[in-house]
């Protein structure tokens, strides 16, 4: 029987590894996501589809929209949800 312990890496640890260990410019990535989602936020969209990701837009206040992501299923490109900006057909 193995007595190895399972190691779980937090999102914060992963982010710091990418930023400091892999030298990925996290703030540039954040700015790119903000730019991708700006049009959707301006139009009160609930989601923005881009590059195989669904960016979920949640209005936090009149001036602030919080963005999270989910994986896009193939069917989402065929029948995108209402009030979605972007998509797999050049929109």
């Amino acid at each position: 029987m193995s007595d190895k312990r399972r190691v779980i890496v937090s999102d914060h640890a992963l982010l710091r590894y990418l930023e400091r260990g892999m030298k990925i410019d996290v703030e540039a990535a954040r700015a790119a996501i903000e730019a991708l989602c700006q049009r959707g936020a301006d139009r009160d969209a609930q989601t923005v589809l881009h590059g195989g990701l669904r960016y979920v837009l949640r209005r936090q206040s009149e001036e602030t929209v919080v963005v999270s992501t989910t994986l896009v299923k193939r069917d989402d490109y065929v029948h995108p949800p209402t009030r979605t900006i972007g998509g797999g057909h050049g929109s």
Side-chain angles (χ1 to χ4, degrees), residues 63-80:
E63 298 85 28
T64 306
V65 174
V66 176
V67 178
S68 60
T69 61
T70 61
L71 191 60
V72 174
K73 298 175 188 169
R74 186 176 186 93
D75 292 344
D76 290 340
Y77 284 114
V78 177
H79 303 288

Side-chain angles (χ1 to χ4, degrees), residues 39-80:
R39 186 171 130 210
D42 291 344
R43 296 180 182 188
D44 290 325
Q46 296 171 352
T47 60
V48 173
L49 300 176
H50 182 82
L53 289 174
R54 177 195 321 254
Y55 295 91
V56 179
L57 309 182
R58 183 176 47 85
R59 183 173 295 283
Q60 189 173 37
S61 70
E62 194 58 36
E63 298 85 28
T64 306
V65 174
V66 176
V67 178
S68 60
T69 61
T70 61
L71 191 60
V72 174
K73 298 175 188 169
R74 186 176 186 93
D75 292 344
D76 290 340
Y77 284 114
V78 177
H79 303 288

